[in-house]
Amino acid sequence: MSTLKRVAIVGPLPPPAGGMANQTRKLGEFLTEEGLEVDIIQVNPAYFPAFIGKVPVIRAGFRLIQYLVSLKRQLKHVDVVHIMANSGWSWHLFAAPAIWVAHRLNKPVVLNYRGGYAQTFFEKSWFWVKPSLRKCQKILVPSAFLQQVFEQFELHADIVPNVLDQTKFYPMEQKVVNEQPHIIVTRNLEDIYDVATAIKGFALVQEYFPQARLSVAGTGPELNNLQALVLQLGIESQVTFVGRLSPNEIADLYRAADVMVNTSIVDNSPNSIIESLACGTPVVSTNVGGIPTLVTDQHDAILVGIENEQAIADGVIKLLQDDAFRVTLIKNGQNTISKFYWENVWRNLQQHYLKAIAEKG
């Protein structure tokens, strides 16, 4: 009979507080609450010794050696290995080594794959990726979008949604939009999230709501360019770059906002949309990647094409002006996110763990 007492989670931890890092941490906490022993093998620990972190190339070697040592030591004693995986170098440096170490130790592997670049990555690197994937007892993905990508490469993946922390992300009493609506963006300041389009869209919203405010929560390499854009548009008095926030702070920001805008050009199943809906804040988002399988246009969100600031602005204005429509989207959004509650995720995840153990055994 399959037993499940101890789980190893291989993945990143904050800081930085990215989507996968937050999911790794929360998964560990929830599994512990279920009475399991949980070992988290962090793929992004601080460099040791610290000065190595300042030496390119060599630092990667040091981290890889330390990582392999941790894998071999900690995986010996677990019942199942849950690997948080992504595309690109992250796959080659962290996910693939963990799969092969677990395989050599005869430990069942549940691969939790995420990331909007999966298809492009597989097309370029399938020769190297396929052998590792074949060693996994279970492949889990957070969206139907990624499930379809795996199907194209003749591999089956099961859907297990991201985990939502209900103790942090919950709605407040219904808000009434006033003459100073608060709009927010909560993505990292990177090219793929195209925050520039959100800012341009906000400038158009100001033509209808001159006192509107925009808060941009996140950090990243595009910060200087985005600040320059705000100055160029002459909206610096209404835009605030609040930096990286803690989970509690970001939840408070959602509840304080009237609309959340997501303008990503590549995406899978963004936690920002899930968290915003959970907090009762309606969403205007681009319709890329897995987002149309996460939410439905005009039902629980407004979806538009990429790099279209006018469409973003039109969506925001509609939500601010049409009270009945906004209330309907908020109510539907609350129903949509119920599948992300831990009790539902755990029921599903537990079965995959047990099946992986049985298959390996």
Side-chain angles (χ1 to χ4, degrees):
M1 181 177 178
S2 300
T3 59
L4 177 61
K5 296 180 179 179
R6 190 166 182 173
V7 178
I9 305 174
V10 181
L13 288 173
M20 185 152 47
N22 288 336
Q23 283 291 301
T24 300
R25 180 174 60 186
K26 288 310 305 179
L27 180 61
E29 292 173 358
F30 282 131
L31 290 175
T32 300
E33 291 173 3
E34 294 296 333
L36 298 178
E37 294 182 62
V38 179
D39 298 313
I40 296 182
I41 302 174
Q42 186 178 357
V43 303
N44 61 336
Y47 288 101
F48 181 80
F51 74 86
I52 292 295
K54 300 178 181 179
V55 185
V57 181
I58 293 178
R59 64 189 178 192
F62 265 74
R63 175 170 280 179
L64 181 58
I65 292 170
Q66 292 170 355
Y67 175 58
L68 291 173
V69 170
S70 295
L71 287 172
K72 292 177 181 178
R73 183 180 66 249
Q74 293 182 255
L75 297 189
K76 290 180 180 179
H77 310 291
V78 302
D79 299 309
V80 66
V81 182
H82 184 132
I83 301 173
M84 308 291 277
N86 207 334
S87 305
W89 282 109
S90 173
W91 170 268
H92 298 300
L93 291 175
F94 304 123
I99 291 169
W100 285 96
V101 171
H103 173 68
R104 287 167 184 163
L105 293 172
N106 199 36
K107 299 297 180 179
V109 172
V110 173
L111 183 77
N112 195 177
Y113 199 99
R114 50 195 64 228
Y117 281 118
Q119 181 159 349
T120 301
F121 176 59
F122 288 170
E123 288 171 352
K124 292 181 178 179
S125 306
W126 189 243
F127 177 82
W128 303 105
V129 174
K130 182 179 177 179
S132 298
L133 288 173
R134 293 290 186 186
K135 297 299 180 184
C136 300
Q137 279 61 57
K138 283 287 181 179
I139 300 174
L140 307 181
V141 292
S143 68
F145 165 70
L146 276 180
Q147 186 182 50
Q148 292 164 8
V149 171
F150 275 90
E151 287 176 356
Q152 292 177 32
F153 291 85
E154 300 181 346
L155 283 177
H156 176 72
D158 291 291
I159 299 174
V160 174
N162 288 336
V163 179
L164 174 68
D165 187 348
Q166 293 171 259
T167 65
K168 292 183 174 67
F169 299 98
Y170 54 85
M172 63 182 295
E173 293 184 9
Q174 185 174 323
K175 302 184 292 288
V176 177
V177 176
N178 57 37
E179 294 181 353
Q180 296 180 312
H182 186 192
I183 301 159
I184 61 173
V185 174
T186 59
R187 305 306 298 266
N188 285 339
L189 310 184
E190 303 173 19
D191 286 340
I192 62 171
Y193 300 125
D194 190 25
V195 177
T197 292
I199 291 172
K200 294 173 185 176
F202 172 73
L204 296 174
V205 170
Q206 281 204 302
E207 296 177 12
Y208 293 83
F209 294 89
Q211 300 304 312
R213 298 177 294 125
L214 174 66
S215 295
V216 180
T219 60
E222 287 298 300
L223 176 59
N224 291 338
N225 291 336
L226 295 172
Q227 290 174 327
L229 175 62
V230 167
L231 290 172
Q232 177 187 336
L233 295 172
I235 55 176
E236 62 272 17
S237 64
Q238 301 300 108
V239 177
T240 303
F241 291 89
V242 300
R244 191 180 299 280
L245 302 179
S246 69
N248 286 331
E249 291 171 331
I250 200 73
D252 288 339
L253 181 65
Y254 284 127
R255 283 187 285 272
D258 296 295
V259 181
M260 191 278 277
V261 171
N262 173 67
T263 45
S264 51
I265 58 176
V266 175
D267 229 321
N268 172 32
S269 182
N271 291 327
S272 56
I273 291 179
I274 299 167
E275 292 166 355
S276 186
L277 296 180
C279 291
T281 302
V283 172
V284 178
S285 174
T286 47
N287 58 359
V288 298
I291 293 175
T293 65
L294 173 62
V295 289
T296 302
D297 184 33
Q298 306 299 312
H299 173 73
D300 47 15
I302 293 179
L303 301 182
V304 303
I306 65 171
E307 299 177 332
N308 189 337
E309 58 263 31
Q310 186 62 61
I312 291 290
D314 291 344
V316 172
I317 292 167
K318 182 176 182 180
L319 285 169
L320 296 179
Q321 291 182 334
D322 190 335
D323 290 339
F325 177 67
R326 185 179 68 257
V327 170
T328 297
L329 251 66
I330 291 172
K331 186 179 299 183
N332 291 339
Q334 291 285 296
N335 293 330
T336 295
I337 53 89
S338 62
K339 62 186 176 184
F340 301 99
Y341 295 157
W342 173 246
E343 61 187 39
N344 297 324
V345 174
W346 173 232
R347 189 180 305 114
N348 195 356
L349 182 59
Q350 184 180 32
Q351 293 304 309
H352 291 302
Y353 282 166
L354 293 174
K355 288 177 182 177
I357 294 170
E359 181 178 331
K360 190 68 174 179

Short mmCIF file of all heavy atoms in Angstrom, two decimals, residues 63-113:
data_model
loop_
_atom_site.label_atom_id
_atom_site.label_comp_id
_atom_site.label_asym_id
_atom_site.label_seq_id
_atom_site.Cartn_x
_atom_site.Cartn_y
_atom_site.Cartn_z
N ARG A 63 27.07 27.23 -6.87
CA ARG A 63 25.68 26.98 -6.50
C ARG A 63 25.24 25.59 -6.97
O ARG A 63 24.54 24.88 -6.25
CB ARG A 63 24.78 28.05 -7.08
CG ARG A 63 23.30 27.80 -6.85
CD ARG A 63 22.44 28.98 -7.23
NE ARG A 63 22.45 30.00 -6.18
CZ ARG A 63 21.78 31.16 -6.27
NH1 ARG A 63 21.10 31.45 -7.36
NH2 ARG A 63 21.82 32.04 -5.28
N LEU A 64 25.66 25.19 -8.18
CA LEU A 64 25.27 23.89 -8.70
C LEU A 64 25.84 22.76 -7.85
O LEU A 64 25.13 21.78 -7.54
CB LEU A 64 25.74 23.74 -10.15
CG LEU A 64 25.36 22.43 -10.85
CD1 LEU A 64 23.85 22.24 -10.85
CD2 LEU A 64 25.92 22.40 -12.27
N ILE A 65 27.10 22.88 -7.45
CA ILE A 65 27.71 21.85 -6.61
C ILE A 65 26.97 21.73 -5.28
O ILE A 65 26.64 20.63 -4.82
CB ILE A 65 29.21 22.15 -6.39
CG1 ILE A 65 29.97 22.00 -7.71
CG2 ILE A 65 29.79 21.23 -5.31
CD1 ILE A 65 31.40 22.50 -7.64
N GLN A 66 26.71 22.87 -4.65
CA GLN A 66 26.00 22.86 -3.37
C GLN A 66 24.59 22.28 -3.53
O GLN A 66 24.09 21.55 -2.67
CB GLN A 66 25.94 24.27 -2.80
CG GLN A 66 27.31 24.81 -2.38
CD GLN A 66 27.28 26.30 -2.05
OE1 GLN A 66 26.28 26.97 -2.21
NE2 GLN A 66 28.42 26.81 -1.59
N TYR A 67 23.97 22.60 -4.65
CA TYR A 67 22.62 22.11 -4.94
C TYR A 67 22.61 20.59 -5.08
O TYR A 67 21.77 19.90 -4.50
CB TYR A 67 22.12 22.79 -6.21
CG TYR A 67 20.80 22.32 -6.74
CD1 TYR A 67 19.65 22.39 -5.96
CD2 TYR A 67 20.68 21.84 -8.04
CE1 TYR A 67 18.42 21.98 -6.46
CE2 TYR A 67 19.46 21.43 -8.55
CZ TYR A 67 18.34 21.50 -7.76
OH TYR A 67 17.13 21.10 -8.26
N LEU A 68 23.55 20.05 -5.84
CA LEU A 68 23.62 18.60 -6.04
C LEU A 68 23.88 17.87 -4.72
O LEU A 68 23.29 16.80 -4.47
CB LEU A 68 24.71 18.27 -7.05
CG LEU A 68 24.44 18.68 -8.50
CD1 LEU A 68 25.67 18.46 -9.37
CD2 LEU A 68 23.23 17.94 -9.06
N VAL A 69 24.72 18.45 -3.88
CA VAL A 69 24.98 17.84 -2.58
C VAL A 69 23.70 17.81 -1.75
O VAL A 69 23.38 16.80 -1.10
CB VAL A 69 26.09 18.61 -1.84
CG1 VAL A 69 26.20 18.14 -0.39
CG2 VAL A 69 27.43 18.43 -2.55
N SER A 70 22.95 18.91 -1.77
CA SER A 70 21.68 18.96 -1.02
C SER A 70 20.69 17.94 -1.55
O SER A 70 20.00 17.27 -0.76
CB SER A 70 21.08 20.37 -1.12
OG SER A 70 21.90 21.32 -0.49
N LEU A 71 20.60 17.80 -2.87
CA LEU A 71 19.67 16.84 -3.45
C LEU A 71 20.01 15.42 -2.99
O LEU A 71 19.13 14.68 -2.53
CB LEU A 71 19.73 16.90 -4.98
CG LEU A 71 19.09 18.11 -5.66
CD1 LEU A 71 19.41 18.11 -7.15
CD2 LEU A 71 17.57 18.12 -5.46
N LYS A 72 21.27 15.03 -3.12
CA LYS A 72 21.66 13.67 -2.77
C LYS A 72 21.44 13.38 -1.29
O LYS A 72 21.07 12.27 -0.90
CB LYS A 72 23.12 13.44 -3.15
CG LYS A 72 23.36 13.43 -4.65
CD LYS A 72 24.83 13.28 -4.98
CE LYS A 72 25.06 13.30 -6.49
NZ LYS A 72 26.50 13.20 -6.84
N ARG A 73 21.65 14.38 -0.44
CA ARG A 73 21.50 14.19 1.00
C ARG A 73 20.03 14.14 1.42
O ARG A 73 19.62 13.26 2.19
CB ARG A 73 22.21 15.32 1.75
CG ARG A 73 22.15 15.14 3.27
CD ARG A 73 22.87 16.26 4.00
NE ARG A 73 22.20 17.54 3.81
CZ ARG A 73 22.69 18.56 3.11
NH1 ARG A 73 23.85 18.44 2.49
NH2 ARG A 73 22.03 19.69 2.99
N GLN A 74 19.21 15.03 0.90
CA GLN A 74 17.85 15.19 1.40
C GLN A 74 16.83 14.28 0.72
O GLN A 74 15.81 13.93 1.33
CB GLN A 74 17.41 16.65 1.27
CG GLN A 74 18.20 17.59 2.19
CD GLN A 74 17.74 19.02 2.08
OE1 GLN A 74 18.40 19.85 1.47
NE2 GLN A 74 16.60 19.32 2.68
N LEU A 75 17.06 13.91 -0.53
CA LEU A 75 16.06 13.09 -1.23
C LEU A 75 16.05 11.64 -0.77
O LEU A 75 15.10 10.91 -1.04
CB LEU A 75 16.29 13.15 -2.74
CG LEU A 75 16.13 14.51 -3.41
CD1 LEU A 75 16.16 14.36 -4.93
CD2 LEU A 75 14.85 15.21 -2.98
N LYS A 76 17.09 11.21 -0.06
CA LYS A 76 17.18 9.82 0.38
C LYS A 76 16.02 9.41 1.28
O LYS A 76 15.64 8.24 1.32
CB LYS A 76 18.49 9.59 1.14
CG LYS A 76 19.74 9.63 0.28
CD LYS A 76 20.97 9.39 1.14
CE LYS A 76 22.25 9.44 0.31
NZ LYS A 76 23.47 9.23 1.16
N HIS A 77 15.47 10.36 2.01
CA HIS A 77 14.56 10.02 3.10
C HIS A 77 13.10 10.37 2.82
O HIS A 77 12.28 10.29 3.73
CB HIS A 77 15.01 10.73 4.38
CG HIS A 77 16.47 10.55 4.68
ND1 HIS A 77 16.99 9.33 5.07
CD2 HIS A 77 17.53 11.41 4.63
CE1 HIS A 77 18.30 9.45 5.25
NE2 HIS A 77 18.65 10.70 4.99
N VAL A 78 12.77 10.76 1.58
CA VAL A 78 11.40 11.21 1.31
C VAL A 78 10.62 10.15 0.55
O VAL A 78 11.19 9.22 -0.04
CB VAL A 78 11.40 12.54 0.52
CG1 VAL A 78 12.16 13.61 1.30
CG2 VAL A 78 11.99 12.36 -0.88
N ASP A 79 9.30 10.30 0.56
CA ASP A 79 8.43 9.37 -0.16
C ASP A 79 8.16 9.82 -1.59
O ASP A 79 7.89 8.99 -2.46
CB ASP A 79 7.09 9.24 0.58
CG ASP A 79 7.28 8.70 1.99
OD1 ASP A 79 7.95 7.66 2.14
OD2 ASP A 79 6.78 9.33 2.94
N VAL A 80 8.19 11.11 -1.83
CA VAL A 80 7.93 11.64 -3.17
C VAL A 80 8.67 12.97 -3.32
O VAL A 80 8.86 13.71 -2.33
CB VAL A 80 6.41 11.82 -3.41
CG1 VAL A 80 5.83 12.90 -2.50
CG2 VAL A 80 6.11 12.13 -4.86
N VAL A 81 9.09 13.26 -4.54
CA VAL A 81 9.83 14.49 -4.84
C VAL A 81 8.96 15.37 -5.74
O VAL A 81 8.60 14.96 -6.85
CB VAL A 81 11.17 14.20 -5.54
CG1 VAL A 81 11.94 15.49 -5.79
CG2 VAL A 81 12.00 13.22 -4.72
N HIS A 82 8.62 16.54 -5.27
CA HIS A 82 7.79 17.50 -6.01
C HIS A 82 8.71 18.60 -6.52
O HIS A 82 9.25 19.39 -5.75
CB HIS A 82 6.72 18.08 -5.07
CG HIS A 82 5.76 19.00 -5.74
ND1 HIS A 82 4.40 18.89 -5.57
CD2 HIS A 82 5.93 20.05 -6.58
CE1 HIS A 82 3.79 19.82 -6.26
NE2 HIS A 82 4.71 20.55 -6.88
N ILE A 83 8.89 18.67 -7.85
CA ILE A 83 9.84 19.61 -8.45
C ILE A 83 9.08 20.74 -9.14
O ILE A 83 8.26 20.51 -10.03
CB ILE A 83 10.75 18.90 -9.47
CG1 ILE A 83 11.53 17.77 -8.79
CG2 ILE A 83 11.71 19.90 -10.13
CD1 ILE A 83 12.33 16.92 -9.75
N MET A 84 9.36 21.96 -8.73
CA MET A 84 8.80 23.15 -9.37
C MET A 84 9.71 23.49 -10.56
O MET A 84 10.90 23.79 -10.37
CB MET A 84 8.75 24.31 -8.38
CG MET A 84 8.06 23.98 -7.07
SD MET A 84 6.29 23.71 -7.25
CE MET A 84 5.70 25.40 -7.21
N ALA A 85 9.18 23.43 -11.77
CA ALA A 85 10.02 23.56 -12.96
C ALA A 85 9.56 24.69 -13.86
O ALA A 85 8.38 25.04 -13.91
CB ALA A 85 10.01 22.24 -13.74
N ASN A 86 10.53 25.23 -14.60
CA ASN A 86 10.28 26.30 -15.55
C ASN A 86 11.12 26.04 -16.79
O ASN A 86 11.88 25.08 -16.86
CB ASN A 86 10.61 27.66 -14.93
CG ASN A 86 9.80 28.78 -15.54
OD1 ASN A 86 9.37 28.69 -16.69
ND2 ASN A 86 9.61 29.85 -14.78
N SER A 87 11.03 26.93 -17.76
CA SER A 87 11.75 26.77 -19.02
C SER A 87 13.15 27.36 -18.93
O SER A 87 13.54 27.95 -17.93
CB SER A 87 10.96 27.44 -20.15
OG SER A 87 9.64 26.94 -20.21
N GLY A 88 13.90 27.20 -20.01
CA GLY A 88 15.21 27.84 -20.14
C GLY A 88 16.27 27.24 -19.25
O GLY A 88 16.26 26.05 -18.91
N TRP A 89 17.22 28.08 -18.85
CA TRP A 89 18.34 27.62 -18.04
C TRP A 89 17.89 27.09 -16.69
O TRP A 89 18.53 26.22 -16.11
CB TRP A 89 19.36 28.75 -17.85
CG TRP A 89 20.22 28.94 -19.05
CD1 TRP A 89 20.21 29.98 -19.94
CD2 TRP A 89 21.24 28.04 -19.52
NE1 TRP A 89 21.14 29.78 -20.93
CE2 TRP A 89 21.80 28.60 -20.70
CE3 TRP A 89 21.72 26.82 -19.07
CZ2 TRP A 89 22.80 27.98 -21.42
CZ3 TRP A 89 22.73 26.19 -19.78
CH2 TRP A 89 23.26 26.77 -20.94
N SER A 90 16.77 27.58 -16.21
CA SER A 90 16.22 27.08 -14.94
C SER A 90 15.96 25.57 -15.04
O SER A 90 16.21 24.83 -14.09
CB SER A 90 14.93 27.82 -14.60
OG SER A 90 14.29 27.24 -13.48
N TRP A 91 15.48 25.13 -16.21
CA TRP A 91 15.24 23.70 -16.40
C TRP A 91 16.55 22.91 -16.34
O TRP A 91 16.67 21.92 -15.62
CB TRP A 91 14.55 23.45 -17.73
CG TRP A 91 14.50 22.00 -18.07
CD1 TRP A 91 15.42 21.28 -18.80
CD2 TRP A 91 13.52 21.05 -17.63
NE1 TRP A 91 15.06 19.96 -18.86
CE2 TRP A 91 13.90 19.78 -18.15
CE3 TRP A 91 12.36 21.15 -16.87
CZ2 TRP A 91 13.16 18.64 -17.92
CZ3 TRP A 91 11.62 20.00 -16.64
CH2 TRP A 91 12.02 18.77 -17.15
N HIS A 92 17.53 23.35 -17.11
CA HIS A 92 18.78 22.61 -17.23
C HIS A 92 19.59 22.60 -15.93
O HIS A 92 20.22 21.60 -15.59
CB HIS A 92 19.64 23.20 -18.36
CG HIS A 92 18.99 23.11 -19.71
ND1 HIS A 92 18.65 21.91 -20.29
CD2 HIS A 92 18.61 24.07 -20.59
CE1 HIS A 92 18.10 22.12 -21.47
NE2 HIS A 92 18.07 23.42 -21.68
N LEU A 93 19.55 23.72 -15.20
CA LEU A 93 20.38 23.84 -13.99
C LEU A 93 19.72 23.26 -12.75
O LEU A 93 20.42 22.81 -11.83
CB LEU A 93 20.73 25.31 -13.75
CG LEU A 93 21.68 25.97 -14.76
CD1 LEU A 93 21.83 27.45 -14.43
CD2 LEU A 93 23.04 25.28 -14.75
N PHE A 94 18.39 23.26 -12.70
CA PHE A 94 17.72 22.87 -11.46
C PHE A 94 16.74 21.70 -11.61
O PHE A 94 16.82 20.73 -10.87
CB PHE A 94 16.99 24.08 -10.86
CG PHE A 94 17.88 25.26 -10.62
CD1 PHE A 94 17.62 26.49 -11.19
CD2 PHE A 94 19.02 25.12 -9.84
CE1 PHE A 94 18.47 27.58 -10.98
CE2 PHE A 94 19.87 26.19 -9.62
CZ PHE A 94 19.59 27.43 -10.19
N ALA A 95 15.82 21.80 -12.55
CA ALA A 95 14.81 20.75 -12.67
C ALA A 95 15.41 19.43 -13.13
O ALA A 95 15.20 18.38 -12.50
CB ALA A 95 13.70 21.20 -13.62
N ALA A 96 16.15 19.45 -14.24
CA ALA A 96 16.71 18.20 -14.79
C ALA A 96 17.63 17.49 -13.79
O ALA A 96 17.49 16.27 -13.58
CB ALA A 96 17.43 18.48 -16.10
N PRO A 97 18.57 18.19 -13.14
CA PRO A 97 19.41 17.49 -12.14
C PRO A 97 18.59 16.85 -11.03
O PRO A 97 18.90 15.74 -10.58
CB PRO A 97 20.31 18.60 -11.61
CG PRO A 97 20.40 19.59 -12.71
CD PRO A 97 19.04 19.58 -13.35
N ALA A 98 17.53 17.54 -10.57
CA ALA A 98 16.70 16.99 -9.49
C ALA A 98 15.99 15.71 -9.95
O ALA A 98 15.87 14.74 -9.20
CB ALA A 98 15.69 18.02 -9.02
N ILE A 99 15.52 15.71 -11.20
CA ILE A 99 14.85 14.53 -11.73
C ILE A 99 15.80 13.34 -11.75
O ILE A 99 15.46 12.23 -11.31
CB ILE A 99 14.32 14.80 -13.16
CG1 ILE A 99 13.18 15.80 -13.12
CG2 ILE A 99 13.86 13.50 -13.82
CD1 ILE A 99 12.76 16.33 -14.48
N TRP A 100 17.02 13.55 -12.23
CA TRP A 100 17.96 12.43 -12.38
C TRP A 100 18.50 11.95 -11.03
O TRP A 100 18.70 10.74 -10.84
CB TRP A 100 19.10 12.83 -13.32
CG TRP A 100 18.62 12.83 -14.74
CD1 TRP A 100 18.18 13.91 -15.46
CD2 TRP A 100 18.47 11.70 -15.60
NE1 TRP A 100 17.78 13.53 -16.71
CE2 TRP A 100 17.95 12.17 -16.83
CE3 TRP A 100 18.74 10.34 -15.46
CZ2 TRP A 100 17.69 11.32 -17.90
CZ3 TRP A 100 18.47 9.49 -16.52
CH2 TRP A 100 17.96 9.98 -17.73
N VAL A 101 18.71 12.86 -10.10
CA VAL A 101 19.14 12.43 -8.76
C VAL A 101 18.03 11.60 -8.11
O VAL A 101 18.29 10.54 -7.52
CB VAL A 101 19.51 13.64 -7.88
CG1 VAL A 101 19.73 13.20 -6.44
CG2 VAL A 101 20.76 14.33 -8.42
N ALA A 102 16.78 12.07 -8.22
CA ALA A 102 15.66 11.32 -7.65
C ALA A 102 15.54 9.95 -8.32
O ALA A 102 15.29 8.93 -7.65
CB ALA A 102 14.36 12.11 -7.83
N HIS A 103 15.71 9.91 -9.63
CA HIS A 103 15.63 8.64 -10.35
C HIS A 103 16.68 7.65 -9.86
O HIS A 103 16.38 6.47 -9.64
CB HIS A 103 15.80 8.91 -11.85
CG HIS A 103 15.88 7.66 -12.68
ND1 HIS A 103 14.81 6.81 -12.86
CD2 HIS A 103 16.92 7.13 -13.37
CE1 HIS A 103 15.18 5.79 -13.62
NE2 HIS A 103 16.45 5.96 -13.95
N ARG A 104 17.90 8.12 -9.67
CA ARG A 104 18.97 7.23 -9.22
C ARG A 104 18.76 6.76 -7.79
O ARG A 104 19.25 5.71 -7.40
CB ARG A 104 20.31 7.93 -9.38
CG ARG A 104 20.73 8.03 -10.85
CD ARG A 104 21.87 8.98 -11.07
NE ARG A 104 22.17 9.10 -12.50
CZ ARG A 104 22.88 10.08 -13.04
NH1 ARG A 104 23.39 11.03 -12.26
NH2 ARG A 104 23.10 10.12 -14.34
N LEU A 105 18.02 7.56 -7.01
CA LEU A 105 17.70 7.15 -5.64
C LEU A 105 16.39 6.36 -5.58
O LEU A 105 15.93 6.02 -4.49
CB LEU A 105 17.60 8.40 -4.75
CG LEU A 105 18.90 9.17 -4.50
CD1 LEU A 105 18.61 10.48 -3.77
CD2 LEU A 105 19.89 8.32 -3.72
N ASN A 106 15.81 6.11 -6.76
CA ASN A 106 14.56 5.36 -6.86
C ASN A 106 13.41 6.06 -6.14
O ASN A 106 12.57 5.42 -5.49
CB ASN A 106 14.72 3.93 -6.33
CG ASN A 106 13.62 3.01 -6.84
OD1 ASN A 106 13.17 3.13 -7.98
ND2 ASN A 106 13.19 2.08 -5.99
N LYS A 107 13.36 7.38 -6.27
CA LYS A 107 12.29 8.17 -5.66
C LYS A 107 11.31 8.65 -6.73
O LYS A 107 11.72 9.10 -7.80
CB LYS A 107 12.87 9.40 -4.94
CG LYS A 107 13.82 9.05 -3.81
CD LYS A 107 13.13 8.27 -2.70
CE LYS A 107 14.10 7.92 -1.57
NZ LYS A 107 13.42 7.19 -0.49
N PRO A 108 10.01 8.54 -6.47
CA PRO A 108 9.02 9.00 -7.45
C PRO A 108 9.06 10.51 -7.61
O PRO A 108 9.21 11.24 -6.62
CB PRO A 108 7.69 8.53 -6.86
CG PRO A 108 7.95 8.38 -5.40
CD PRO A 108 9.37 7.96 -5.26
N VAL A 109 8.92 10.97 -8.85
CA VAL A 109 9.00 12.39 -9.16
C VAL A 109 7.65 12.90 -9.65
O VAL A 109 7.06 12.34 -10.59
CB VAL A 109 10.07 12.66 -10.23
CG1 VAL A 109 10.01 14.12 -10.70
CG2 VAL A 109 11.46 12.34 -9.70
N VAL A 110 7.16 13.96 -9.02
CA VAL A 110 6.01 14.72 -9.50
C VAL A 110 6.54 16.05 -9.99
O VAL A 110 7.01 16.87 -9.20
CB VAL A 110 4.97 14.92 -8.38
CG1 VAL A 110 3.86 15.85 -8.84
CG2 VAL A 110 4.39 13.58 -7.94
N LEU A 111 6.51 16.24 -11.30
CA LEU A 111 7.05 17.46 -11.90
C LEU A 111 5.93 18.47 -12.06
O LEU A 111 4.92 18.22 -12.72
CB LEU A 111 7.66 17.16 -13.27
CG LEU A 111 8.33 18.36 -13.94
CD1 LEU A 111 9.68 18.64 -13.31
CD2 LEU A 111 8.46 18.15 -15.44
N ASN A 112 6.09 19.62 -11.44
CA ASN A 112 5.10 20.69 -11.49
C ASN A 112 5.62 21.77 -12.44
O ASN A 112 6.40 22.64 -12.05
CB ASN A 112 4.90 21.25 -10.08
CG ASN A 112 3.66 22.11 -9.93
OD1 ASN A 112 3.35 22.56 -8.85
ND2 ASN A 112 2.92 22.35 -11.01
N TYR A 113 5.21 21.68 -13.71
CA TYR A 113 5.78 22.56 -14.75
C TYR A 113 4.91 23.80 -14.93
O TYR A 113 3.70 23.73 -14.99
CB TYR A 113 5.88 21.81 -16.08
CG TYR A 113 6.84 22.45 -17.05
CD1 TYR A 113 8.13 21.96 -17.19
CD2 TYR A 113 6.47 23.55 -17.79
CE1 TYR A 113 9.03 22.56 -18.07
CE2 TYR A 113 7.35 24.16 -18.67
CZ TYR A 113 8.62 23.66 -18.81
OH TYR A 113 9.50 24.26 -19.67
#
